[in-house]
Amino acid sequence: MQARKKYVLLGLCASCWLLLFYWGGGVQLRLLRLLSRQRAEVVRPWPNWTDRAFLPRYAHLDELQTDPGTAESPRQRRQAWSAIYKDSRCRMETCFDFSRCRRRGREGFRVYIYPSEKNDRVSESYRKILTSIGESRYFTSDPREACLFVLGIDTLDRDQLSGQFVPNVDERIRGYPLWNDGRNHLIFNLYSGTWPNYTEDLGFNIGQAILAKASLNTEHFRPGFDVSIPLFSKDHPQKGGERGWLVRNTVPPRRKYLLMFKGKRYLTGIGSDTRNALHHIHNGKDIVSLTTCRHGKDWEKHKDARCDHDNLEYERFDYQELLHNSTFCLVPRGRRLGSFRFLESLQAACIPVLLSNGWELPFSDVVQWNQAVIEGDERLLLQVPSTVRAIGNERVLALRQRTQMLWEAYFSSVDKIVLTTLEIIKDRVFSHISRNKYMWNSLPGGLLVLPEYSTHLAHFPFYYLGLGVNPGQEFTAVIHAVSPLVSQSQPIMKLLQVVSKSKYCSQIIILWNSEKPPPSRSKWPPMPVPLTVTDGRRKTTSRFLPHVAIETEAVLSLDEDTVLLTSEVNFAFLVWRSFPERIVGYPPRSHFWDPLKRAWGYTSKWTNDYSIVLTGAAFYHRYYHYLFTHYLPQSLRTLVDRTSNCEDILMNFLVSAVTHLPPIKVAQRKQYKELSRWKHFNQRQECINTFTNWFGYMPLVHSQFRLDPVLFKDQVSVLRKKYKDLERA
């Protein structure tokens, strides 16, 4: 009986469970199916935390949807890419002919530009790119010498709706006898694809060519082969460019606004998702995120309920004022992955916060972007404010400083963008003699570090401080001689005795630039250090050639009629050892801006202000010999040789461009003789303006800094002073 009751009770329980499932779970399943049919069109690209329960006060879920008409699956994108670029697996080892570049060692890296055809349309930006290559030390007009080829056809804008679009590129390049399916060719591009999807389609098959492209997608980027470049406007300067806006390091480093963005909002199509959601983080206080839909011809036809309010708020703030006063700048994707905001933020020292998923950042092969930008996620926009608030002041200052270094080293002009692209490719071709990441990511930047000189950091003067390296304790004196030796009482004889007595002097090299042959060794006085006489070939620039005989890091450059004391030489050398990246010497000069002539002027007046130390009596590092010879263009060196003047000014330009610092003047006796060759002011003023035009800006820096020995000119006994002779008449 008890067993029967037990079975009846179990049966009733089972029946109850069946009824509950039918009336409860079944109804719920039917409701879920009904809701799923109603929401079948909804695409949810955002994570689960964007459910309605979590976003009632931020956004309606419909605002975060992707336009169904423009969505592409990853497979569709890959198929489209493979159809356009059949050589998507290219690498330097498989799609590049190294033999064209290695015929003459590293001198074999030459770039040839195809001549433009008649009636070819060339945009201003592409003309600047071709000019940069044509004026570089790598250009050749002979295709037989070329390692790399650049099209004369403008390929920057491949949007078929653009007025800059050049048709029939495929047919034209296939007709080039040197095309060879694009091998050893470099193609520049800023804009690809067209509305509405803006794919990577260039409208022609690039084959095995290297692609230097803006807005490159990481899925399509061929690592170690392609080069990602920044998107820049047609107004981007050809040379030099403006300096960064970080004038001084404020403590704390934060500005008035924490985070800012001001730009277009797209109502439909690709790129609209991120910018449509930007208004959710705007608080009008320390976060200013402004968008406008007032752009394009038909914006009023497509405007939504938020357009009028956004447009009014947009006009309340000035973009330049926001740039100058914001710590972080949002850089969301537009129609394409890249944006003009990126370079604008770098220059303004406004730390870029990137919202462009899949963007291969410019020069990513060599630049460590994690030290300069914050990479966000488009899908996690609402987390951006809390993320940037959590970044400490030390990190903020480091990020801002790095933006300035990168801007001035690689992005401030078209010249620098193009040369960086060429140098990256050159390092790939000659990988055994190439720059390392430290060289690319520290001052003065990779363009001013020539690996042909050395690949060791400790061989460059501007790395000494960071590496804890001390300069060598000896110097080589290089004396520039132009007068024939006719008497033992000539100034050069006394100069040899003075310099050779220095305990720091390792050797003396006489650079013989006289028309008469050099005298035999017996005509020179006996000295405690080795003496070498070298033929200067009667060229003024030969004094800055990288002579193999120079074995020390320090070089003392002297004119033959320079008047110095051994104590002056010793003191100046000890000062140089504390500032090995600069020029340290005696006779100062200065430059100034003449507003009436609208040109730079040159003066030798003795004032407290100077920007040049003449190399007739100065110390500097021997690396600058190599940089002077191999970095500066032949046109400037030819100008110096033709006029037999201005080589000292050009060296000061070069060193100040590298260091962004002035030279250093040291103490000297008052009766220092001013030489007549320094009075060619008209010619030297012309030189200053010519040099400024090539650099694209004025690199010279004024200073009032002078270093004297301890107790120099103090009213104490001369016997207590180390450098007694400096004060004696």
Side-chain angles (χ1 to χ4, degrees), residues 679-699:
K679 296 182 179 179
H680 305 158
F681 296 124
N682 291 336
Q683 196 173 59
R684 293 169 82 79
Q685 286 184 165
E686 292 177 4
C687 287
I688 280 186
N689 287 283
T690 301
F691 300 160
T692 304
N693 289 337
W694 185 82
F695 279 90
Y697 70 106
M698 170 52 75

Side-chain angles (χ1 to χ4, degrees), residues 475-479 491-509 527-531 555-560 562-570 586 616-617 619:
F475 66 83
T476 298
V478 178
I479 302 176
I492 191 172
M493 292 301 191
K494 184 176 181 181
L495 181 62
L496 286 171
Q497 295 292 341
V498 167
V499 174
S500 64
K501 288 180 181 178
S502 172
K503 61 182 178 180
Y504 305 114
C505 183
S506 171
Q507 61 175 329
I508 298 176
I509 298 174
M527 285 176 292
V529 296
L531 174 67
V555 176
L556 172 58
S557 176
L558 296 166
D559 285 337
E560 63 180 1
T562 300
V563 179
L564 286 173
L565 298 175
T566 303
S567 56
E568 287 180 292
V569 173
N570 289 341
Y586 307 94
F619 283 95

Side-chain angles (χ1 to χ4, degrees), residues 159-218:
D159 186 341
Q160 297 180 16
L161 300 179
S162 170
Q164 303 290 340
F165 179 80
V166 179
N168 305 320
V169 174
D170 227 347
E171 298 175 10
R172 293 175 61 181
I173 60 178
R174 282 202 303 267
Y176 291 158
L178 297 172
W179 174 244
N180 192 22
D181 194 30
R183 183 167 285 225
N184 287 53
H185 282 67
L186 174 63
I187 293 175
F188 288 91
N189 175 257
L190 295 181
Y191 309 98
S192 63
T194 189
W195 192 89
N197 291 326
Y198 295 91
T199 63
E200 302 284 345
D201 187 4
L202 298 186
F204 65 96
N205 182 15
I206 67 171
Q208 299 179 14
I210 297 172
L211 188 59
K213 187 181 185 308
S215 304
L216 254 177
N217 193 303
T218 53

Side-chain angles (χ1 to χ4, degrees), residues 46 58-59 63-64 259-266 271-284 287-292 306 310 314 329-334 341 353-355 377-378 380-382 384-385:
W46 289 63
Y58 295 111
E63 294 180 279
L64 306 178
L259 181 68
M260 68 78 68
F261 173 77
K262 185 178 182 183
K264 297 177 182 178
R265 175 165 69 88
Y266 305 111
S272 60
D273 302 336
T274 303
R275 296 205 177 194
N276 276 339
L278 289 178
H279 71 282
H280 299 305
I281 62 174
H282 172 74
N283 63 19
I287 298 179
V288 178
S289 181
L290 308 169
T291 58
T292 179
R306 221 177 59 240
D310 285 356
Y314 188 85
C329 285
L330 274 177
V331 183
R333 64 161 298 155
R341 300 288 186 281
V353 179
L354 308 182
L355 294 175
D377 191 318
E378 294 178 59
L380 305 177
L381 170 65
L382 301 182
V384 169

Side-chain angles (χ1 to χ4, degrees), residues 388-546:
V388 296
R389 287 186 197 281
I391 299 176
N393 287 338
E394 290 185 4
R395 174 70 172 153
V396 168
L397 181 58
L399 289 167
R400 291 181 65 193
Q401 290 174 334
R402 185 49 55 93
T403 62
Q404 301 301 275
M405 178 262 156
L406 294 175
W407 164 258
E408 294 185 9
Y410 308 121
F411 299 107
S412 63
S413 68
V414 177
D415 257 13
K416 291 178 181 177
I417 293 172
V418 172
L419 288 176
T420 302
T421 302
L422 295 181
E423 293 292 348
I424 289 173
I425 297 172
K426 184 180 178 183
D427 277 2
R428 294 172 183 171
V429 174
F430 302 96
S431 57
H432 59 293
I433 308 176
S434 59
R435 304 163 183 84
N436 57 40
K437 284 289 184 72
Y438 187 91
M439 293 174 175
W440 283 107
N441 292 277
S442 57
L443 290 171
L447 298 184
L448 291 166
V449 178
L450 303 187
E452 297 91 340
Y453 173 78
S454 177
T455 57
H456 298 286
L457 297 176
H459 292 169
F460 296 91
F462 29 77
Y463 297 140
Y464 286 172
L465 183 61
L467 298 175
V469 174
N470 292 319
Q473 298 184 8
E474 294 182 327
F475 66 83
T476 298
V478 178
I479 302 176
H480 189 227
V482 295
S483 303
L485 189 63
V486 296
S487 169
Q488 292 295 314
S489 61
Q490 286 181 227
I492 191 172
M493 292 301 191
K494 184 176 181 181
L495 181 62
L496 286 171
Q497 295 292 341
V498 167
V499 174
S500 64
K501 288 180 181 178
S502 172
K503 61 182 178 180
Y504 305 114
C505 183
S506 171
Q507 61 175 329
I508 298 176
I509 298 174
I510 296 178
L511 195 63
W512 192 258
N513 266 330
S514 175
E515 294 181 357
K516 294 186 177 182
S520 62
R521 180 65 182 86
S522 61
K523 298 292 184 180
W524 300 103
M527 285 176 292
V529 296
L531 174 67
T532 304
V533 181
T534 302
D535 183 13
R537 302 176 184 175
R538 291 183 293 281
K539 288 186 176 181
T540 306
T541 55
S542 63
R543 71 187 304 167
F544 297 137
L545 285 173

Side-chain angles (χ1 to χ4, degrees), residues 48-58 382:
N48 293 332
W49 54 262
T50 57
D51 288 338
R52 294 177 185 274
F54 293 93
L55 288 176
R57 51 189 174 167
Y58 295 111
L382 301 182

